[in-house]
Amino acid sequence: MDRLWSPWRAQHVARWAQTPDEGAASEARPTLFERLAADHRDEDNLIVWRGTHVFVLMNLYPYTNGHLMIVPYRPVAEYEALDDAEQVELARTLARCLRWLRHALQPDGFNTGMNLGSAAGAGIPNHLHLHVVPRWNGDTNFMPVVGATKVIPEGLRDTYGKIQAVIAADEDR
């Protein structure tokens, strides 16, 4: 496989590396999402919105610009383990994300979904999350097909700013 140099990935991995505290080896370590939710440096962590039961963040390694993830605060591996309030807020937040992305980025469509369990491709199998991926006509070009490389045409911080502006205007209504 060809490789594309991306030094920011190493910084991200090092920043969130799990290093157990002494004496805490027997305790369950928090998931990446639990640590991000507790950090409260939302802009640094690309968290665009916080609800009561879920929060929304941009994917650091997106499939396309504006790739969001809706994450329950509580680490839950299976969808049916979510309580009613978490399920309702997850669904309502999906509608918000679609509205925000439509206004901020004008996509032609969306892919949404969850990878539940490592066999299904879940990168963090013990903490489910819902992907919201904006799509544009023609956004699959020769690069991923021939070069096994995705091209993201806009910087994450620029996209973050666009989404934040739409969220701020949406909440003013």
Side-chain angles (χ1 to χ4, degrees), residues 116-130:
L116 300 173
S118 50
I124 304 175
N126 56 342
H127 200 150
L128 69 80
H129 49 285
L130 175 61

Side-chain angles (χ1 to χ4, degrees), residues 11-12 15-16 32-50 55-61 67-69 71 156-157 160 164:
Q11 294 168 354
H12 175 71
R15 181 170 158 219
W16 293 105
L32 169 65
F33 293 136
E34 288 176 285
R35 289 181 282 144
L36 286 170
D39 189 334
H40 292 287
R41 291 180 297 157
D42 289 356
E43 187 171 351
D44 291 342
N45 295 320
L46 300 172
I47 294 173
V48 298
W49 182 84
R50 289 176 178 271
F55 64 101
V56 178
L57 73 153
M58 292 177 61
N59 191 324
L60 190 58
Y61 307 108
H67 179 168
L68 300 177
M69 295 182 292
V71 184
L156 289 173
R157 301 293 169 192
Y160 182 90
Q164 281 296 300

Side-chain angles (χ1 to χ4, degrees), residues 33-107:
F33 293 136
E34 288 176 285
R35 289 181 282 144
L36 286 170
D39 189 334
H40 292 287
R41 291 180 297 157
D42 289 356
E43 187 171 351
D44 291 342
N45 295 320
L46 300 172
I47 294 173
V48 298
W49 182 84
R50 289 176 178 271
T52 303
H53 302 287
V54 302
F55 64 101
V56 178
L57 73 153
M58 292 177 61
N59 191 324
L60 190 58
Y61 307 108
Y63 292 112
T64 64
N65 284 82
H67 179 168
L68 300 177
M69 295 182 292
I70 305 170
V71 184
Y73 288 106
R74 187 169 65 95
V76 175
E78 300 299 330
Y79 183 80
E80 56 272 28
L82 292 171
D83 64 33
D84 289 345
E86 290 166 327
Q87 285 184 6
V88 167
E89 190 170 72
L90 186 80
R92 288 183 175 161
T93 302
L94 173 58
R96 283 186 178 107
C97 288
L98 296 172
R99 183 175 65 245
W100 296 334
L101 290 168
R102 276 192 182 98
H103 285 89
L105 304 176
Q106 293 86 43

Side-chain angles (χ1 to χ4, degrees), residues 8-22:
W8 55 89
R9 290 184 83 145
Q11 294 168 354
H12 175 71
V13 170
R15 181 170 158 219
W16 293 105
Q18 293 185 356
T19 53
D21 297 329
E22 287 192 29

